[in-house]
Amino acid sequence: MPKDDYASAALLERWITQYGDMLVRLAYGMLRDRALCQDAAQDTLLKAWRGYHTFRGECTEKTYLTGILMNTCRDYLRTAWMRRIDRRFTPDTLPEPYADAAPRDRTVIEAVLSLPLSQRQAVLLRYWQGLTIAETAQVLRLSPEAIKKRLRRANARLRAELEGWYYDDESD
């Protein structure tokens, strides 16, 4: 935690404003539970704030917070409670990135959320959060080659699942 109380409170407030929604959406992609994703985002911000004195600046704040979130979500998934509850989701329960946006086709997000956890993590971090391969590897504590492999497998699976959903009409 930063030494100056005012700076400390300002840092936490900035993180909430700048990264709060992103953390909630990413946690939902991992946990598929609206209440748990909000808890995970809040736990992440508190863990990051309390441990900020250990942050060495070797990555961006976004990567730092994302790494903590991924570990927090993994911890949640390991609990006995998560192994016993029905975690089926409905796309209507997904938090919207923009409240005023027009309704969207949920086919792609449903396909992404149906991926195995290891592939889903890589896809969410790389494509949804826009992290680089190196940042994704850093967050997941894997090599860049392992991330590329997971992304290739996820892309192949998504391509097969989404075949026929999208087509390019060349007759126009």
Side-chain angles (χ1 to χ4, degrees), residues 86-103:
D86 180 6
R87 295 188 315 137
R88 285 178 287 182
F89 67 95
T90 60
D92 298 332
T93 63
L94 289 173
E96 284 293 336
Y98 305 103
D100 59 344

Side-chain angles (χ1 to χ4, degrees), residues 13-168:
E13 186 174 327
R14 183 173 59 80
W15 281 350
I16 291 168
T17 303
Q18 191 170 353
Y19 302 111
D21 290 341
M22 179 268 304
L23 292 171
V24 170
R25 286 192 308 272
L26 184 56
Y28 191 91
M30 296 291 300
L31 301 172
R32 301 182 204 164
D33 182 285
R34 185 172 287 247
L36 283 178
C37 73
Q38 292 170 348
D39 289 348
Q42 183 178 11
D43 287 347
T44 296
L45 289 167
L46 287 173
K47 288 176 185 178
W49 183 65
R50 287 180 183 143
Y52 191 69
H53 65 280
T54 64
F55 179 62
R56 296 179 301 232
E58 295 173 353
C59 61
T60 65
E61 284 182 343
K62 181 179 179 179
T63 304
Y64 171 67
L65 292 170
T66 303
I68 294 170
L69 177 74
M70 298 306 279
N71 289 331
T72 300
C73 288
R74 278 190 215 111
D75 290 345
Y76 277 37
L77 290 170
R78 288 183 188 124
T79 64
W81 171 257
M82 290 299 288
R83 288 191 301 265
R84 288 182 177 85
I85 63 170
D86 180 6
R87 295 188 315 137
R88 285 178 287 182
F89 67 95
T90 60
D92 298 332
T93 63
L94 289 173
E96 284 293 336
Y98 305 103
D100 59 344
R104 298 185 180 141
D105 184 349
R106 301 293 193 158
T107 306
V108 174
I109 193 66
E110 286 178 28
V112 169
L113 292 176
S114 71
L115 290 171
L117 181 61
S118 62
Q119 293 173 13
R120 188 170 68 234
Q121 288 173 332
V123 167
L124 290 173
L125 292 174
R126 177 70 178 110
Y127 300 124
W128 198 14
Q129 295 303 321
L131 298 183
T132 64
I133 296 286
E135 289 172 329
T136 303
Q138 187 176 21
V139 167
L140 296 177
R141 297 181 183 162
L142 296 169
S143 69
E145 292 74 29
I147 297 302
K148 290 176 187 176
K149 185 176 182 179
R150 287 182 181 190
L151 290 171
R152 277 192 304 272
R153 287 181 177 169
N155 286 334
R157 190 178 192 136
L158 290 170
R159 192 175 299 114
E161 188 169 331
L162 296 172
E163 187 177 356
W165 172 77
Y166 174 80
Y167 65 93
D168 193 6

Side-chain angles (χ1 to χ4, degrees), residues 3-11:
K3 292 180 182 178
D4 181 4
D5 287 340
Y6 180 75
S8 176
L11 174 70

